[in-house]
Amino acid sequence: MLNFQLLQLEDLPRLRPYFKYSGSRICDTTPGAVALWRDLYRTEWAIYDGSLYFKVYYPGKGDTFALPLGGGRPEHYRQIAEYCRRRDMPLHFYPIPKDELDRMLQFFPGSTAEPDRDSFDYLYRAEDLMYFKGKRFSGQRNHVNKFLKTYGNWSFRAIAKADAPALHAFLDRYLAGHDKVSAAFHEDIAKTREVLDHLDLYDMLGGMLLVDGEIAGFSLGEVVGDTLFVHIEKADREVQGAYQMLVAQYTQHYAGGEVAFVNREDDTGDEGLRTSKLSYHPVALMEKYLVTVAL
């Protein structure tokens, strides 16, 4: 029987081993993404018969169930369906990657699947983001060259625990120049601070770009399987080429070899962000669906 409880940051070490069963390149099946958005989307978890289940509340969608991690799909589906029947509640699965869709719809005939374009992840070849080679990356390469010509004294290095105060100060300046009214924006800032204060629990890979010894940007992410997932990326727009340089340096530092892809997550429907992410020429958009099951 499934017994869900609210996800707390302290639960992460216990749950982390289950994520190796993801088998997907969508960001929603990574420890970092689940933990970062656990409060905004009221994430609950349960472990049953060697599998990890998540129940997540999304505004406009209600309570939904992510794909469980570990075990076999038919048993997962039966457990979740029975949980919903006992409570007389609707059954929604979200986000469901495209490669799982047919199997789910076969198990639940008569169900509907609705694509959620705003949540599609952008997947890139790691090699493309490392060096911006070729004509199609001339724009990004020009920004990097501008950065190199303008700022002679720069460096990139891994984030250490002792860097937290300086990164918090950078976030203060970033927030002053980018303040938005959306709850998601402020939750992103709050959870970025949480990651910086709990690097050991989040176990993320951090890197920061410095110009004349001052922070010009930083990224935080993690590797799952063959993919580097970039969960957090902040840079000073006043520093010319900072974002492009940060993308290249972070990828060079943490990808390559068996880590052949980079997931830079979704665009949340923001047109400016969508234009930016498309300009880096993804090799795929990782489609996600809301599946509504007729019980």
Side-chain angles (χ1 to χ4, degrees), residues 133-173:
K133 293 180 179 178
K135 185 176 181 180
R136 61 185 178 143
F137 290 104
S138 60
Q140 286 80 10
R141 201 163 56 249
N142 288 340
H143 282 293
V144 168
N145 290 335
K146 179 68 173 179
F147 176 94
L148 293 172
K149 291 178 181 178
T150 306
Y151 310 105
N153 184 22
W154 69 272
S155 62
F156 180 90
R157 65 172 176 82
I159 291 173
K161 190 174 183 178
D163 295 317
L167 288 163
H168 280 300
F170 175 85
L171 276 177
D172 291 338
R173 299 192 298 273

Side-chain angles (χ1 to χ4, degrees), residues 90-259:
L91 175 49
H92 303 288
F93 286 97
Y94 179 82
I96 301 304
K98 187 177 182 179
D99 57 9
E100 183 67 26
L101 199 56
D102 287 345
R103 180 161 50 170
M104 179 172 285
L105 295 179
Q106 287 174 8
F107 191 90
F108 294 111
S111 301
T112 61
E114 179 183 352
D116 183 8
R117 173 62 181 86
D118 292 350
S119 75
F120 288 7
D121 287 348
Y122 292 77
L123 189 73
Y124 306 85
R125 285 200 321 155
E127 185 178 355
D128 288 341
L129 299 189
M130 286 179 182
Y131 305 110
F132 301 134
K133 293 180 179 178
K135 185 176 181 180
R136 61 185 178 143
F137 290 104
S138 60
Q140 286 80 10
R141 201 163 56 249
N142 288 340
H143 282 293
V144 168
N145 290 335
K146 179 68 173 179
F147 176 94
L148 293 172
K149 291 178 181 178
T150 306
Y151 310 105
N153 184 22
W154 69 272
S155 62
F156 180 90
R157 65 172 176 82
I159 291 173
K161 190 174 183 178
D163 295 317
L167 288 163
H168 280 300
F170 175 85
L171 276 177
D172 291 338
R173 299 192 298 273
Y174 178 91
L175 186 59
H178 296 77
D179 197 12
K180 301 178 182 178
V181 297
S182 75
F185 174 81
H186 288 280
E187 185 68 3
D188 172 67
I189 295 295
K191 286 299 188 288
T192 299
R193 294 188 188 280
E194 181 182 81
V195 175
L196 295 174
D197 290 336
H198 298 89
L199 283 172
D200 53 340
L201 281 174
Y202 270 97
D203 196 26
M204 283 199 190
L205 304 171
M208 59 184 187
L209 180 68
L210 299 103
V211 173
D212 294 325
E214 297 293 326
I215 298 172
F218 70 96
S219 294
L220 292 158
E222 61 191 328
V223 170
V224 178
D226 63 0
T227 304
L228 172 64
F229 293 84
V230 183
H231 296 308
I232 295 168
E233 183 180 81
K234 313 291 182 194
D236 184 350
R237 294 190 182 278
E238 297 300 314
V239 177
Q240 299 182 63
Y243 269 105
Q244 292 78 12
M245 194 67 177
L246 182 61
V247 168
Q249 290 296 310
Y250 187 74
T251 309
Q252 288 177 34
H253 206 78
Y254 291 115
E258 294 182 357
V259 183

Side-chain angles (χ1 to χ4, degrees), residues 37-49:
W37 299 105
R38 70 185 188 278
D39 293 329
L40 186 65
Y41 298 129
R42 204 176 72 199
T43 301
E44 300 177 59
W45 65 274
I47 292 175
Y48 178 78
D49 196 23

Side-chain angles (χ1 to χ4, degrees), residues 22-39:
S22 166
S24 174
R25 294 194 183 104
I26 65 171
C27 69
D28 309 83
T29 54
T30 63
V34 170
L36 284 168
W37 299 105
R38 70 185 188 278
D39 293 329

